[in-house]
């Protein structure tokens, strides 16, 4: 990613990450891979794909937004009007794994923090309305142009605008930015923004995952049983507390790594549970960070099925991480922990380099896992749904 004013990734983290928005003209020239509108529409017809249509409706005095949820029939998509709608598809990289390549544009952010690639296609006038998110996002413009308006953090929610979207009151930005092909807008959490398509346009949104206090607390109870003073909300208003890392450094961005600093931040978020030690905090954070959406979780297998798979695999069979699998690890002392699709287990020191490589390349071979006939780790990974073995076991 080309950051303006020749800023290094380190300088971006210091000056902008979780601190303020940054518009980056020409940051990603020639987005590749890319989707056509017809390919995105095809995804929106699939049962296991999360998709939405948002229609912008104006009566001359006020604007309202109507949401329809997919999957959609082909005739619905082919008969859409020439203006005032947006089609959004979540988790594109999980359904089309080649699109994980776009995450390389933000390789200075720990990959466990990346939630998904959402792709939206909008007709002129299309928008999802003024809103704000609880997570960081890089809005990467493909074909066409989208005008972005940013507002002050104190803009309030407008319940009358939509019954299905949590939208803000309309606001005016005196200096809106028009994003064209290759431009990127970075937004930290909580920044009101409002994107409006100026023509038919495609936007690739790299959204971050920020575990909230309720998720972390629930994981603490699930992993360690009932705990005293388990918090779920930040205040009487019910606003969630989210994991924050404005002090993020570039050395934390090694593929798959949940750093010691990340564990300390999670401990601060869970500071009211004083009894938790470093390893327990790590298990909580790692299990939440890798937990997939229920409808996207890779299929897991039984003990016997995992054993049969290992026996059936060729010694040098290539193992590819499943497109929907989430995997991470951390180092604690001389050993570590590995996390896969919401599960956690210990990791011996002599296996750390192996898992680093798997997280980096998302591939491995059977032989590297089974040195000295030790199949325990591979067995656990198979049971956790990490590898896609459809081709190897045909």
């Amino acid at each position: 990613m080309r950051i303006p004013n020749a800023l290094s990734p380190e300088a971006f983290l210091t000056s902008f990450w979780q601190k303020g928005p940054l518009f980056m003209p020409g940051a990603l020239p020639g987005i590749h891979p890319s989707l056509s509108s017809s390919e995105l529409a095809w995804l929106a017809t699939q049962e296991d794909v999360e998709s939405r249509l948002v229609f912008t409706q104006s009566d001359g005095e006020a604007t309202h937004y109507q949401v329809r949820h997919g999957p959609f029939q082909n005739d619905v998509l082919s008969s859409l009007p020439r203006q005032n709608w947006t089609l959004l598809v979540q988790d594109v990289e999980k359904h089309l794994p080649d699109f994980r390549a776009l995450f390389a544009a933000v390789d200075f952010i720990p990959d466990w923090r990346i939630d998904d690639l959402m792709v939206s296609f909008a007709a002129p006038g299309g928008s999802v309305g003024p809103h704000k998110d609880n997570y960081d996002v890089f809005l990467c413009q493909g074909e066409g142009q989208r005008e972005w308006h940013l507002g002050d953090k104190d803009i309030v929610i407008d319940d009358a605008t939509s019954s299905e979207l949590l939208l803000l009151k309309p606001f005016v930005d005196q200096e809106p930015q028009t994003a064209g092909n290759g431009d990127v807008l970075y937004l930290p959490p909580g920044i009101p923004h409002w994107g409006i398509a100026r023509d038919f346009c495609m936007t690739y949104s790299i959204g971050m995952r920020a575990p909230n206090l309720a998720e972390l607390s629930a994981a603490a109870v699930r992993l360690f049983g009932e705990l005293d003073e388990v918090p779920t909300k930040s205040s009487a208003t019910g606003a969630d507390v989210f994991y924050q890392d404005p002090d993020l450094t570039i050395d934390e961005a090694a593929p798959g790594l949940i750093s010691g600093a990340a564990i300390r931040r999670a401990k601060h978020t869970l500071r009211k549970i004083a009894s938790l030690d470093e390893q327990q905090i790590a298990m909580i954070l790692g299990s939440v960070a890798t937990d997939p959406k229920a409808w996207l979780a890779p299929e897991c297998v039984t003990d016997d099925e995992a054993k049969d798979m290992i026996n059936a695999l060729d010694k040098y069979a290539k193992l590819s991480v499943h497109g929907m699998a989430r995997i991470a690890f951390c180092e604690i002392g001389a050993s570590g922990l590995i996390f896969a699709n919401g599960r956690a287990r210990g990791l011996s020191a002599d296996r750390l380099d192996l898992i680093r490589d798997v997280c980096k390349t998302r591939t491995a071979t059977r032989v590297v896992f089974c040195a000295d006939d030790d199949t325990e780790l591979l067995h656990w990974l198979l049971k956790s749904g990490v590898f896609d073995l459809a081709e190897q076991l045909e």
Side-chain angles (χ1 to χ4, degrees):
M1 184 176 291
R2 300 175 184 173
I3 306 174
N5 302 318
L7 279 180
S8 65
E10 293 91 339
F12 170 83
L13 294 176
T14 299
S15 300
F16 293 98
W17 175 254
Q18 297 217 315
K19 302 172 186 73
L22 180 64
F23 183 64
M24 297 178 274
L28 281 180
I31 291 177
H32 182 78
S34 60
L35 277 176
S36 67
S37 57
S38 59
E39 290 169 331
L40 189 70
W42 173 81
L43 277 173
T45 66
Q46 304 303 299
E47 289 285 344
D48 62 342
V49 174
E50 184 181 358
S51 59
R52 292 171 290 159
L53 271 170
V54 179
F55 296 92
T56 305
Q57 302 169 332
S58 178
D59 59 12
E61 296 183 0
T63 301
H64 301 274
Y65 299 88
Q66 180 186 15
V67 184
R68 292 179 61 183
H69 296 275
F72 300 100
Q73 297 297 318
N74 283 317
D75 59 347
V76 171
L77 298 177
S78 62
S79 62
L80 288 169
R82 298 289 297 172
Q83 60 184 6
N84 297 335
W85 56 266
T86 302
L87 174 66
L88 306 100
V89 176
Q90 303 282 158
D91 300 291
V92 168
E93 87 291 351
K94 298 178 182 68
H95 301 286
L96 302 175
D98 286 350
F99 279 80
R100 286 187 61 87
L102 292 181
F103 294 161
V106 292
D107 61 1
F108 46 90
I109 307 297
D111 57 8
W112 71 266
R113 286 280 271 118
I114 299 175
D115 188 23
D116 81 327
L117 175 69
M118 183 185 75
V119 182
S120 62
F121 182 74
S127 175
V128 298
H131 66 285
K132 57 185 176 181
D133 300 312
N134 293 315
Y135 52 83
D136 305 82
V137 63
F138 292 85
L139 299 156
C140 310
Q141 190 61 37
E143 62 180 85
Q145 293 185 323
R146 186 182 293 271
E147 186 174 274
W148 288 105
H149 299 251
L150 305 184
D152 297 328
K153 286 191 174 184
D154 58 357
I155 295 173
V156 298
I157 293 172
D158 183 4
D159 292 330
T161 305
S162 172
S163 61
E164 298 180 80
L165 297 169
L166 192 62
L167 298 181
L168 305 173
K169 289 188 177 296
F171 57 85
V172 176
D173 183 350
Q174 299 297 336
E175 298 181 349
Q177 299 282 1
T178 299
N181 201 325
D183 296 343
V184 176
L185 174 63
Y186 162 71
L187 294 173
I191 298 294
H193 55 286
W194 189 359
I196 304 170
R198 288 301 168 215
D199 50 17
F200 287 99
C201 70
M202 189 83 73
T203 305
Y204 301 79
S205 303
I206 303 175
M208 300 295 143
R209 170 175 290 202
N212 63 39
L213 182 56
E215 292 174 307
L216 295 170
S217 300
V221 173
R222 174 171 57 83
L223 290 169
F224 305 114
E226 293 296 328
L227 299 167
D228 294 334
E229 298 183 19
V230 173
T232 56
K233 300 291 182 181
S234 62
S235 68
T237 65
D240 286 314
V241 173
F242 287 84
Y243 173 93
Q244 297 178 343
D245 53 3
D247 58 339
L248 182 68
T249 58
I250 200 163
D251 60 331
E252 297 181 61
L257 175 66
I258 295 179
S259 68
I263 296 168
R264 289 190 291 275
R265 296 182 196 109
K267 183 175 180 63
H268 177 75
T269 306
L270 285 166
R271 57 190 176 277
K272 290 188 177 180
I273 309 180
S275 60
L276 295 172
D277 61 27
E278 180 185 15
Q279 180 162 318
Q280 289 175 313
I281 294 288
M283 290 184 68
I284 293 166
L285 178 59
S287 63
V288 171
T290 61
D291 194 22
K293 297 174 182 176
W295 61 93
L296 292 177
E299 185 177 351
C300 297
V301 299
T302 65
D303 278 318
D304 289 341
E305 288 171 333
K307 291 175 184 176
D308 290 343
M309 286 178 175
I310 293 171
N311 292 331
L313 285 171
D314 180 79
K315 182 178 180 180
Y316 295 99
K318 181 181 178 180
L319 308 176
S320 297
V321 174
H322 196 288
M324 296 183 182
R326 296 183 64 91
I327 182 171
F329 73 97
C330 70
E331 300 178 50
I332 296 181
S335 58
L337 295 168
I338 181 171
F339 312 101
N341 298 327
R343 303 183 180 191
R345 62 156 280 163
L347 191 64
S348 60
D350 62 335
R351 294 297 208 175
L352 277 170
D353 285 341
L354 169 60
I355 295 304
R356 284 192 191 95
D357 193 56
V358 171
C359 290
K360 180 178 180 179
T361 65
R362 291 182 71 86
T363 62
T365 58
R366 179 191 185 282
V367 68
V368 300
F369 274 103
C370 301
D372 302 322
D373 294 323
D374 181 5
T375 63
E376 183 181 354
L377 179 57
L378 179 57
H379 184 271
W380 182 83
L381 291 169
L382 290 173
K383 282 191 62 181
S384 301
V386 169
F387 292 116
D388 184 356
L389 300 181
E391 292 184 8
Q392 288 81 355
L393 298 177
E394 285 181 352

